[in-house]
Each structure stands twice: as C-alpha cells, then as structure tokens.
Amino acid sequence: MAPELLPIRVTIQREEDIIRARQQGRDMARSLGFGAVDQSRIATAISELTRNILRYAGTGTAILRPATQGARRGIEIICEDEGPGISDIPFVMQEGVTTGKGLGIGLPGTQRLMDEMKIESQVGQGTTVTIRKWLR
Amino acid sequence: MAQIPIIHLSDVLIVTTQDAISDTDALDLQDQITTAIERTGAKGLIIDISALDIVDSFLGRMLNDIAAMARLMGTKTALVGIQPAVAITLIELGLELRGISTALNVEQALRTLGARIARQT
C-alpha cells in the first residue's frame, strides 16, 4: 500500500509558479499511478488554469490532491482566485472566445483533457475551477 | 534569463529548448530567433522541443508565431522532437500547429528543409 499523498497548495503570483504547479501536479499524478499521457494532460490543464489566474486575477492558489469517488481514484485540482470573476460561463466555454490575449482554447481545451471540470464564479468575488481525472 | 544556444549550420539555424520554458523565456526566444535570422540570413530554422514534456496553449501559440515571423523573413521552420504524450495533449487541447512543418528529429528536418531550400534557389 502506497503512503497516502498529502494535498499540496501552490500560491500563484509569478510566472515561475505556473511551472512549479504543473511539475507538482505531474509528480502527484505519477505517484498516483497515471501514465505518461495522462500526466501530460494533467500538467497541461494545470498550466492553462494557473495562467488564467495570473492573467485575469493576478494572484490565487492551486490545490492539488488525491481524489476518491466510490471505488474510483484519481486527482483533483482546485484553482481559486479573488479576481474579477466570469459573468457568462457558457460564453467563455465556447471555442475561440477570449477576453484577453489568449487563443480562446484554454477552458474548453482543459475540459477535453480532464474527466470533469466545474467552474464557479461570482463577478467581483472571484473564480474557482475544479478539475478531476480518474485512473482507468 | 539564460541565452538559449542557437546553432548556425550552413543555411540552417538549430534551436534546442530547455525542459521548462516560462512565458518570458518563450517571448525572449522569439526575439533571439528573429535577430539570429536577420544576422545570419538563414533559410531554414529547426526548433527541437524534445526536452519539453509539456506544451500548453501559450507556448503553442509562441511556436506558431515564431514560424510565422520566420516565414515573413524568408525562412522555413520545422518543429522537431514532439514527445508522443505532448502530441496527444496538443490535439485534445485543440491546438493545431498550422503553417509549421514537423519532423521526428533534427536529421529528418535537415533533409526536408534542405531539399526545400535547394528547390527554391
């Protein structure tokens, strides 16, 4: 039985934090038993979400932790910020839509890479994006 | 930031990226490559990303932009060494590297770029 992995909290306030968060995410994914392609999917998803934090909110946090649901095991990443929030979530989930300098593929792309994605946001309060990937 | 070495081999520039590229590094790379193209008049550019285990939408866009800039300067770009997991992730993410030719490794890229440069001149 592998030792239980503890949640990791990464503060996002500089560019280097994006790299740190995705490396920690990859390490945790590997320890949980994810293969190379899933590790890449998870690290890329973390990169997209933490860059959104930096770009739109300035600062925030990424929490990485093992997840369980019944017999399923996997990884969960929660990216939170207290930035401007998203007023129209279906709008930002459309392909090619961007309010910043991005390509507009970040959020819909992240959803395709992961098994689950949930966006909670209040204008003026901030945004929390939770993503999960399950071991097959 | 550290200078990324750019090797100049006859008509071709070869750039090998490090394993983790920050957004600022990627932007600096654009500057360094376009400056090197101007200085050398190279007809081909090979970017070796085999050390990268992640290419996200920002870096993908940077690579696309570098190829577009090089094209404007009369230089053809080949991206080489994309890891299998990176290729799968890029396509699922929805990032098509349009307008940028690819090869499995530097040797193949040299062959195809060389042939295309030869045809042109």
Side-chain angles (χ1 to χ4, degrees):
Chain A
M1 181 80 196
E4 202 181 323
L5 289 161
L6 295 170
I8 299 171
R9 189 183 188 90
V10 184
T11 303
I12 308 297
Q13 49 192 5
R14 287 190 310 268
E15 261 184 31
E16 300 76 62
D17 300 327
I18 298 176
I19 296 176
R20 208 156 48 90
R22 72 191 185 208
Q23 280 171 349
Q24 301 256 34
R26 179 187 285 277
D27 289 347
M28 182 176 283
R30 187 188 300 118
S31 302
L32 287 167
F34 283 103
V37 178
D38 276 340
Q39 288 172 33
S40 175
R41 290 183 176 113
I42 291 161
T44 305
I46 294 171
S47 200
E48 298 295 333
L49 296 182
T50 52
R51 180 173 295 100
N52 280 351
I53 290 178
L54 207 58
R55 184 179 287 159
Y56 296 109
T59 60
T61 52
I63 297 159
L64 323 169
R65 64 186 187 198
T68 51
Q69 193 177 76
R72 289 200 295 185
R73 294 197 311 117
I75 190 169
E76 177 179 75
I77 297 109
I78 305 160
C79 291
E80 345 174 79
D81 67 61
E82 293 175 3
I86 302 168
S87 59
D88 188 346
I89 293 172
F91 179 74
V92 298
M93 283 306 294
Q94 289 173 58
E95 206 73 27
V97 165
T98 179
T99 54
K101 287 181 286 184
L103 285 170
I105 63 168
L107 285 175
T110 300
Q111 187 169 43
R112 281 192 295 271
L113 293 175
M114 303 299 288
D115 292 327
E116 293 172 28
M117 179 161 97
K118 185 176 68 178
I119 305 175
E120 296 154 291
S121 188
Q122 277 207 313
V123 173
Q125 304 281 302
T127 303
T128 301
V129 182
T130 305
I131 52 176
R132 291 195 193 98
K133 189 86 184 167
W134 301 108
L135 283 159
R136 269 186 286 273
Chain B
M1 81 135 235
Q3 283 271 323
I4 294 169
I6 300 178
I7 297 164
H8 186 198
L9 194 72
S10 65
D11 254 1
V12 177
L13 294 176
I14 303 172
V15 183
T16 305
T17 61
Q18 306 139 295
D19 59 349
I21 296 186
S22 74
D23 295 2
T24 308
D25 288 346
L27 287 164
D28 284 346
L29 194 61
Q30 281 190 347
D31 284 355
Q32 289 180 33
I33 288 175
T34 46
T35 306
I37 290 172
E38 188 193 23
R39 196 182 62 239
T40 60
K43 290 288 159 210
L45 167 67
I46 295 173
I47 305 174
D48 183 353
I49 61 165
S50 54
L52 287 180
D53 57 13
I54 170 174
V55 176
D56 61 10
S57 64
F58 182 84
L59 186 54
R61 186 175 67 144
M62 287 296 112
L63 293 169
N64 251 339
D65 287 355
I66 288 172
M69 290 167 191
R71 187 164 55 240
L72 287 177
M73 298 177 79
T75 306
K76 296 185 187 304
T77 303
L79 194 65
V80 309
I82 299 181
Q83 292 181 14
V86 172
I88 293 169
T89 304
L90 272 176
I91 295 303
E92 288 179 359
L93 191 60
L95 196 75
E96 296 175 51
L97 295 174
R98 287 203 199 91
I100 181 162
S101 78
T102 53
L104 195 58
N105 53 42
V106 173
E107 198 186 336
Q108 277 188 14
L110 273 172
R111 222 175 297 143
T112 50
L113 272 182
R116 280 157 62 203
I117 292 165
R119 252 204 314 277
Q120 205 175 42
T121 47

